[in-house]
Short mmCIF file of all heavy atoms in Angstrom, two decimals:
data_model
loop_
_atom_site.label_atom_id
_atom_site.label_comp_id
_atom_site.label_asym_id
_atom_site.label_seq_id
_atom_site.Cartn_x
_atom_site.Cartn_y
_atom_site.Cartn_z
N LEU C 1 -11.51 19.30 8.18
CA LEU C 1 -11.75 17.89 8.40
C LEU C 1 -10.93 17.11 7.39
O LEU C 1 -11.04 17.34 6.18
CB LEU C 1 -13.24 17.56 8.24
CG LEU C 1 -14.23 18.41 9.05
CD1 LEU C 1 -15.65 17.94 8.77
CD2 LEU C 1 -13.93 18.34 10.55
N TYR C 2 -10.11 16.20 7.87
CA TYR C 2 -9.25 15.40 7.00
C TYR C 2 -9.71 13.95 7.03
O TYR C 2 -9.71 13.32 8.08
CB TYR C 2 -7.80 15.45 7.49
CG TYR C 2 -7.13 16.80 7.49
CD1 TYR C 2 -7.23 17.65 8.60
CD2 TYR C 2 -6.36 17.22 6.41
CE1 TYR C 2 -6.58 18.88 8.62
CE2 TYR C 2 -5.70 18.45 6.43
CZ TYR C 2 -5.82 19.27 7.53
OH TYR C 2 -5.18 20.49 7.56
N ASP C 3 -10.06 13.42 5.87
CA ASP C 3 -10.50 12.03 5.76
C ASP C 3 -9.34 11.19 5.22
O ASP C 3 -9.05 11.22 4.02
CB ASP C 3 -11.71 11.93 4.85
CG ASP C 3 -12.34 10.55 4.87
OD1 ASP C 3 -11.87 9.68 5.63
OD2 ASP C 3 -13.31 10.32 4.11
N GLU C 4 -8.67 10.45 6.09
CA GLU C 4 -7.55 9.59 5.72
C GLU C 4 -6.56 10.32 4.80
O GLU C 4 -6.32 9.91 3.65
CB GLU C 4 -8.06 8.32 5.03
CG GLU C 4 -8.98 7.47 5.87
CD GLU C 4 -8.25 6.62 6.91
OE1 GLU C 4 -7.03 6.76 7.04
OE2 GLU C 4 -8.92 5.83 7.59
N PRO C 5 -5.95 11.41 5.26
CA PRO C 5 -5.14 12.25 4.37
C PRO C 5 -3.85 11.61 3.86
O PRO C 5 -3.28 12.09 2.88
CB PRO C 5 -4.82 13.47 5.24
CG PRO C 5 -4.90 12.96 6.64
CD PRO C 5 -6.01 11.95 6.63
N THR C 6 -3.39 10.54 4.49
CA THR C 6 -2.12 9.93 4.06
C THR C 6 -2.30 8.58 3.39
O THR C 6 -1.32 7.90 3.08
CB THR C 6 -1.16 9.78 5.25
OG1 THR C 6 -1.76 8.94 6.24
CG2 THR C 6 -0.85 11.14 5.87
N THR C 7 -3.54 8.17 3.13
CA THR C 7 -3.78 6.88 2.49
C THR C 7 -3.11 6.82 1.12
O THR C 7 -3.23 7.73 0.30
CB THR C 7 -5.29 6.64 2.33
OG1 THR C 7 -5.87 6.49 3.62
CG2 THR C 7 -5.57 5.38 1.53
N GLY C 8 -2.40 5.73 0.87
CA GLY C 8 -1.79 5.51 -0.44
C GLY C 8 -0.50 6.26 -0.69
O GLY C 8 0.01 6.23 -1.82
N LEU C 9 0.04 6.92 0.32
CA LEU C 9 1.26 7.70 0.14
C LEU C 9 2.47 6.98 0.72
O LEU C 9 2.35 6.26 1.71
CB LEU C 9 1.11 9.07 0.79
CG LEU C 9 -0.03 9.96 0.30
CD1 LEU C 9 -0.03 11.28 1.05
CD2 LEU C 9 0.07 10.20 -1.21
N ASP C 10 3.63 7.22 0.13
CA ASP C 10 4.86 6.65 0.67
C ASP C 10 5.25 7.41 1.94
O ASP C 10 4.71 8.49 2.22
CB ASP C 10 5.99 6.74 -0.37
CG ASP C 10 6.31 8.17 -0.75
OD1 ASP C 10 7.00 8.86 0.04
OD2 ASP C 10 5.87 8.61 -1.84
N PRO C 11 6.17 6.86 2.74
CA PRO C 11 6.51 7.49 4.03
C PRO C 11 6.99 8.93 3.93
O PRO C 11 6.65 9.75 4.79
CB PRO C 11 7.61 6.57 4.58
CG PRO C 11 7.33 5.24 3.97
CD PRO C 11 6.83 5.55 2.59
N VAL C 12 7.77 9.25 2.90
CA VAL C 12 8.28 10.62 2.78
C VAL C 12 7.15 11.58 2.46
O VAL C 12 7.02 12.65 3.06
CB VAL C 12 9.39 10.69 1.70
CG1 VAL C 12 9.79 12.15 1.46
CG2 VAL C 12 10.60 9.87 2.11
N THR C 13 6.29 11.21 1.51
CA THR C 13 5.16 12.07 1.15
C THR C 13 4.18 12.19 2.31
O THR C 13 3.60 13.25 2.53
CB THR C 13 4.45 11.52 -0.10
OG1 THR C 13 5.40 11.33 -1.15
CG2 THR C 13 3.39 12.50 -0.59
N THR C 14 4.00 11.10 3.06
CA THR C 14 3.17 11.16 4.26
C THR C 14 3.68 12.20 5.23
O THR C 14 2.91 12.99 5.80
CB THR C 14 3.12 9.78 4.94
OG1 THR C 14 2.43 8.86 4.09
CG2 THR C 14 2.42 9.85 6.29
N SER C 15 4.99 12.24 5.42
CA SER C 15 5.59 13.24 6.32
C SER C 15 5.34 14.65 5.82
O SER C 15 5.07 15.56 6.62
CB SER C 15 7.10 12.98 6.44
OG SER C 15 7.69 13.90 7.32
N VAL C 16 5.38 14.85 4.51
CA VAL C 16 5.10 16.17 3.92
C VAL C 16 3.67 16.59 4.24
O VAL C 16 3.42 17.73 4.64
CB VAL C 16 5.33 16.14 2.39
CG1 VAL C 16 4.80 17.43 1.75
CG2 VAL C 16 6.81 15.98 2.08
N ILE C 17 2.72 15.67 4.06
CA ILE C 17 1.32 15.99 4.34
C ILE C 17 1.13 16.29 5.82
O ILE C 17 0.42 17.24 6.20
CB ILE C 17 0.40 14.83 3.90
CG1 ILE C 17 0.48 14.62 2.38
CG2 ILE C 17 -1.04 15.10 4.33
CD1 ILE C 17 0.05 15.82 1.55
N ASP C 18 1.77 15.52 6.68
CA ASP C 18 1.66 15.76 8.12
C ASP C 18 2.17 17.16 8.49
O ASP C 18 1.56 17.87 9.31
CB ASP C 18 2.44 14.71 8.90
CG ASP C 18 1.79 13.33 8.85
OD1 ASP C 18 0.59 13.27 8.50
OD2 ASP C 18 2.47 12.34 9.15
N ARG C 19 3.26 17.56 7.89
CA ARG C 19 3.80 18.89 8.17
C ARG C 19 2.86 19.98 7.69
O ARG C 19 2.74 21.03 8.33
CB ARG C 19 5.18 19.04 7.51
CG ARG C 19 6.26 18.18 8.15
CD ARG C 19 7.59 18.33 7.44
NE ARG C 19 8.60 17.43 8.01
CZ ARG C 19 9.84 17.36 7.59
NH1 ARG C 19 10.26 18.13 6.58
NH2 ARG C 19 10.69 16.52 8.15
N LEU C 20 2.18 19.73 6.57
CA LEU C 20 1.22 20.72 6.07
C LEU C 20 0.01 20.82 7.01
O LEU C 20 -0.53 21.91 7.21
CB LEU C 20 0.75 20.35 4.66
CG LEU C 20 1.77 20.60 3.54
CD1 LEU C 20 1.24 20.06 2.22
CD2 LEU C 20 2.07 22.09 3.41
N ILE C 21 -0.42 19.70 7.58
CA ILE C 21 -1.52 19.74 8.54
C ILE C 21 -1.14 20.63 9.73
O ILE C 21 -1.94 21.45 10.19
CB ILE C 21 -1.87 18.31 9.00
CG1 ILE C 21 -2.50 17.53 7.85
CG2 ILE C 21 -2.82 18.35 10.20
CD1 ILE C 21 -2.73 16.06 8.15
N LEU C 22 0.09 20.48 10.20
CA LEU C 22 0.56 21.32 11.31
C LEU C 22 0.71 22.77 10.88
O LEU C 22 0.43 23.69 11.66
CB LEU C 22 1.89 20.78 11.83
CG LEU C 22 1.82 19.40 12.50
CD1 LEU C 22 3.21 18.91 12.86
CD2 LEU C 22 0.93 19.44 13.73
N ARG C 23 1.12 22.99 9.63
CA ARG C 23 1.23 24.38 9.14
C ARG C 23 -0.13 25.05 9.10
O ARG C 23 -0.26 26.23 9.43
CB ARG C 23 1.85 24.40 7.74
CG ARG C 23 2.01 25.81 7.18
CD ARG C 23 2.43 25.82 5.72
NE ARG C 23 3.78 25.32 5.54
CZ ARG C 23 4.37 25.23 4.34
NH1 ARG C 23 3.71 25.59 3.24
NH2 ARG C 23 5.60 24.79 4.24
N MET C 24 -1.17 24.31 8.70
CA MET C 24 -2.51 24.89 8.67
C MET C 24 -2.93 25.33 10.07
O MET C 24 -3.56 26.37 10.25
CB MET C 24 -3.52 23.88 8.11
CG MET C 24 -3.27 23.43 6.67
SD MET C 24 -3.11 24.79 5.48
CE MET C 24 -1.36 24.78 5.15
N ARG C 25 -2.57 24.52 11.06
CA ARG C 25 -2.89 24.89 12.44
C ARG C 25 -2.12 26.13 12.87
O ARG C 25 -2.69 27.08 13.44
CB ARG C 25 -2.57 23.73 13.37
CG ARG C 25 -2.86 23.99 14.86
CD ARG C 25 -2.16 22.99 15.75
NE ARG C 25 -0.70 23.16 15.67
CZ ARG C 25 0.17 22.30 16.21
NH1 ARG C 25 -0.26 21.22 16.83
NH2 ARG C 25 1.47 22.51 16.10
#
């Protein structure tokens, strides 16, 4: 369960977190 995982992050770091979410899947 991810609660607002990209809040407060810049666009590049947000993309990194998004890729990690997909990697977990």
Side-chain angles (χ1 to χ4, degrees):
L1 308 180
Y2 297 88
D3 189 2
E4 299 282 5
T6 60
T7 293
L9 301 180
D10 62 77
V12 173
T13 307
T14 293
S15 181
V16 170
I17 297 300
D18 289 343
R19 291 178 184 180
L20 286 174
I21 291 173
L22 294 174
R23 181 189 292 180
M24 298 306 106
R25 180 197 66 189

